[in-house]
Amino acid sequence: MTTKPELAAYIRTLVRGDNEANERIEAQLDAEGWDGFPRFLAALFFLAVDRRFGENATSAEVIRFVADLRAGLADDAPTIDAQDAEALIRANIDPDADYNIEPSSIGKIQAAVTYKVLTDGKITDDELDALLAEANAIASRS
């Protein structure tokens, strides 16, 4: 199952702050469907967390990151529970870590964390393209 190229383009416009292109792609996806987006976002979240934390992040680093994330959210942004965000990040770092998060919250956390990592990290265009391509490859696996 190949993911739509518009999904990567949508994320690219978000990260780069290209609002006009973002609105155009979002309207296209609204009309055609967001098929594959949850898988693509999960893959991108995995890669973004790995990029930011690697395999040896401490709990304190994760807690600070989530606190910064929550402090930087816009007033109209979905609420992100700190403990849930920390647990989801830890589960990404340590596959043995467990979490019990409402499914409706997982996508919100993944989106917020991924956006923060990709916008805070001063990622180059080439690095962003490579990350999006890798997320696409992971999400496209059957």
Side-chain angles (χ1 to χ4, degrees):
M1 165 197 246
T2 302
T3 58
K4 295 179 177 185
E6 292 84 8
L7 298 177
Y10 174 75
I11 297 296
R12 182 175 233 301
T13 62
L14 280 175
V15 171
R16 292 301 181 224
D18 186 348
N19 296 330
E20 183 180 314
N22 180 265
E23 289 176 14
R24 186 180 77 256
I25 294 169
E26 186 174 0
Q28 179 183 352
L29 288 167
D30 284 344
E32 295 174 1
W34 289 78
D35 301 337
F37 188 69
R39 286 177 60 107
F40 180 74
L41 180 59
L44 191 56
F45 171 78
F46 169 80
L47 296 170
V49 169
D50 186 58
R51 177 183 174 85
R52 170 61 177 78
F53 294 101
E55 297 177 1
N56 300 312
T58 65
S59 289
E61 289 174 298
V62 173
I63 290 167
R64 276 191 301 276
F65 174 84
V66 170
D68 288 346
L69 166 72
R70 294 181 70 220
L73 290 174
D75 291 337
D76 60 345
T79 302
I80 302 293
D81 180 82
Q83 291 178 331
D84 287 351
E86 292 163 12
L88 195 59
I89 291 169
R90 273 196 230 80
N92 196 81
I93 296 167
D94 177 6
D96 293 330
D98 195 19
Y99 64 89
N100 184 18
I101 302 171
E102 288 292 321
S104 61
S105 295
I106 292 174
K108 294 174 194 172
I109 294 167
Q110 289 173 331
V113 168
T114 300
Y115 180 79
K116 179 165 179 53
V117 169
L118 296 181
T119 56
D120 278 0
K122 297 178 180 72
I123 190 168
T124 67
D125 285 338
D126 288 343
E127 291 169 329
L128 180 58
D129 288 343
L131 200 65
L132 293 170
E134 187 175 358
N136 185 46
I138 292 169
S140 296
R141 294 180 190 152
S142 299

